[in-house]
């Protein structure tokens, strides 16, 4: 009899644990989905060939730290609307020249990419960043 009760109690706890895990996972996914919008294709965004090239460069070098279409900050600030503001989050003027320097030389926690990207790639990247 006692063994039967223990089995019933452990089954109940296991069921509650599974339900709790399911609820926790559902909430976590819901929160994550609300922070980062679903990814659209280049065509859906209406990107030109140069902008699409810049997006591919962004995906390779920048996306691990920066969100392009969300205000959610990863390891670095979100880049949503970055060139529509007068200043970057660091206080530097938000223009193509300063952004080129920032990409080439890096700053603070951001590494330099001047030795990894050609000038044409940086130009494509900046053209893409103007679409954000």
């Amino acid at each position: 009899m006692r063994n039967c009760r223990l089995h019933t109690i452990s089954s109940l706890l296991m069921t509650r644990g599974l339900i709790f895990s399911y609820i926790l996972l559902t909430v976590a996914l819901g929160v994550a989905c609300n922070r980062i919008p679903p990814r659209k294709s280049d065509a859906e965004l209406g990107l030109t060939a140069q902008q699409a090239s810049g997006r591919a460069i962004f995906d390779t070098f920048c996306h691990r730290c920066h969100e392009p279409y969300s205000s959610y900050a990863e390891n670095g600030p979100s880049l949503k609307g970055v060139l529509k503001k007068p200043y970057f989050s660091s206080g530097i003027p938000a223009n193509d020249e300063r952004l080129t320097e920032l990409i080439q030389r890096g700053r603070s926690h951001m590494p330099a990419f001047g030795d990894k990207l050609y000038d044409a790639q940086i130009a494509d990247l900046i053209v893409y960043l103007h679409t954000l």
Side-chain angles (χ1 to χ4, degrees):
M1 180 86 172
R2 182 176 181 165
N3 207 6
C4 184
R5 279 187 195 166
L6 288 177
H7 179 70
T8 303
I9 290 171
S10 68
S11 294
L12 181 62
L13 289 175
M14 194 165 87
T15 302
R16 284 185 179 173
L18 288 174
I19 292 171
F20 178 75
S21 297
Y22 175 76
I23 291 170
L24 186 61
L25 179 62
T26 303
V27 169
L29 287 174
V31 169
C33 290
N34 287 332
R35 286 191 305 189
I36 303 169
R39 184 173 170 89
K40 294 183 179 180
S41 70
D42 294 347
E44 288 175 310
L45 293 171
L47 299 181
T48 66
Q50 185 180 21
Q51 292 166 339
S53 172
R55 185 182 194 199
I57 293 163
F58 181 89
D59 289 345
T60 302
F61 294 96
C62 313
H63 194 261
R64 68 180 66 113
C65 295
H66 301 283
E67 275 298 322
Y69 299 106
S70 166
S71 56
Y72 176 70
E74 294 263 340
N75 295 324
S78 165
L79 297 183
K80 181 180 180 181
V82 68
L83 290 169
K84 293 176 175 52
K85 302 171 188 171
Y87 298 96
F88 297 126
S89 61
S90 62
I92 297 172
N95 59 48
D96 293 357
E97 293 77 26
R98 297 290 83 79
L99 185 55
T100 299
E101 286 178 16
L102 183 61
I103 294 167
Q104 290 174 332
R105 298 180 185 159
R107 185 170 193 276
S108 187
H109 297 291
M110 182 173 156
F113 291 98
D115 60 339
K116 294 178 179 79
L117 297 172
Y118 296 111
D119 290 343
Q121 291 174 305
I122 293 173
D124 290 354
L125 177 59
I126 290 173
V127 167
Y128 168 66
L129 293 175
H130 277 282
T131 71
L132 303 180

